[in-house]
């Protein structure tokens, strides 16, 4: 998955959340409790929606983590001089690296490894965002209940 795809997906999720959290606070010519009831009934659907996003991204992250492992193994062989001769024909590399410290430096600065690890970190940020969204969705019921209690209070009901 390319960074642009991840970024676009994150933007789409944020736009969906902005749309899902909009509430008409004017309630002119409307029944306030009907709007609150509608919001309350939407909670499980929103939770499911964002849980699906979370699960999909978790699966992508797991795949990328496995890809990082495989790539690091291939890069160790490449930098250690143990890769197939065809690899060096396509992408020549000077002397092989023998020390673990130098190998670590080369692996940590390899563009392909950095790119994959950056994607994993970005997905971590997306998962954190989705975790916070799902917490807000879960807490929405309490906010709606408080609003209903407030409506009862201002209307003189208990």
């Amino acid at each position: 998955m390319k960074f642009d795809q991840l970024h676009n997906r994150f933007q789409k999720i944020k736009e969906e959340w902005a749309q899902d959290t909009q509430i008409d606070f004017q309630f002119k010519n409307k029944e306030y409790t009907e709007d609150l009831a509608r919001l309350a009934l939407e909670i499980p659907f929103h939770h499911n929606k964002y849980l699906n996003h979370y699960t999909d991204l978790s699966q992508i992250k797991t795949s990328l983590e496995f890809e990082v492992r495989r790539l690091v193994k291939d890069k160790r062989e490449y930098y250690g001089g143990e890769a197939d001769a065809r690899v060096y024909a396509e992408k020549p590399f000077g002397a092989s690296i023998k020390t673990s410290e130098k190998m670590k430096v080369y692996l940590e600065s390899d563009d392909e490894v950095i790119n994959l690890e950056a994607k994993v970190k970005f997905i971590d940020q997306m998962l954190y965002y989705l975790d916070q969204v799902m917490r807000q969705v879960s807490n929405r019921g309490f906010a709606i209940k408080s609003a209903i209690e407030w409506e009862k209070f201002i209307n003189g009901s208990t």
Side-chain angles (χ1 to χ4, degrees), residues 15 36 40 48 68 87 96 114 127 154:
E15 289 167 8
L36 291 173
N48 183 53
V68 167
V87 173
S96 63
I114 288 171
L127 290 172
I154 60 172

Coordinates of all heavy atoms in Angstrom, one line a residue, residues 15 36 40 48 68 87 96 114 127 154:
E15 N -13.0 12.7 7.7 CA -14.1 13.4 7.1 C -15.4 12.7 7.5 O -16.4 13.4 7.9 CB -14.0 13.5 5.6 CG -13.0 14.4 5.1 CD -12.7 14.3 3.6 OE1 -13.4 13.5 2.9 OE2 -11.7 15.0 3.2
L36 N -32.5 13.3 19.8 CA -31.7 12.5 20.7 C -31.9 11.0 20.6 O -30.9 10.3 20.6 CB -31.9 13.0 22.2 CG -31.5 14.4 22.5 CD1 -32.0 14.8 23.9 CD2 -30.0 14.5 22.4
A40 N -29.0 8.3 19.6 CA -28.8 7.2 20.4 C -28.8 5.9 19.6 O -28.0 5.0 19.8 CB -29.8 7.1 21.6
N48 N -19.7 0.1 14.9 CA -19.4 -0.9 13.9 C -18.6 -0.4 12.8 O -17.6 -1.0 12.3 CB -20.7 -1.6 13.4 CG -20.4 -2.7 12.5 OD1 -19.7 -3.6 12.8 ND2 -21.0 -2.7 11.3
V68 N 8.2 -6.1 6.6 CA 9.5 -5.5 7.2 C 10.5 -6.6 7.6 O 11.6 -6.5 7.3 CB 9.2 -4.5 8.4 CG1 10.4 -4.2 9.1 CG2 8.5 -3.3 7.9
V87 N 21.0 -10.3 -7.7 CA 20.6 -9.1 -6.9 C 21.7 -8.1 -7.1 O 21.5 -6.9 -7.3 CB 20.4 -9.5 -5.4 CG1 20.2 -8.2 -4.6 CG2 19.2 -10.4 -5.3
S96 N 31.2 -6.5 1.4 CA 30.2 -6.9 2.4 C 30.5 -6.4 3.8 O 31.6 -6.1 4.1 CB 30.1 -8.5 2.4 OG 31.4 -9.0 2.9
I114 N 13.1 2.0 5.7 CA 12.5 3.2 6.3 C 11.1 3.5 5.8 O 10.2 3.8 6.6 CB 13.4 4.5 6.0 CG1 14.7 4.4 6.8 CG2 12.7 5.8 6.3 CD1 15.7 5.4 6.4
L127 N -4.6 4.1 13.9 CA -5.3 3.2 14.9 C -5.5 4.0 16.2 O -6.6 3.8 16.8 CB -4.4 2.0 15.1 CG -4.3 1.0 13.9 CD1 -3.3 -0.1 14.2 CD2 -5.7 0.4 13.6
I154 N -35.4 21.2 32.5 CA -35.9 22.5 32.0 C -37.4 22.6 31.7 O -38.0 23.6 31.7 CB -35.1 23.1 30.8 CG1 -35.2 22.2 29.6 CG2 -33.7 23.4 31.2 CD1 -34.6 22.8 28.4

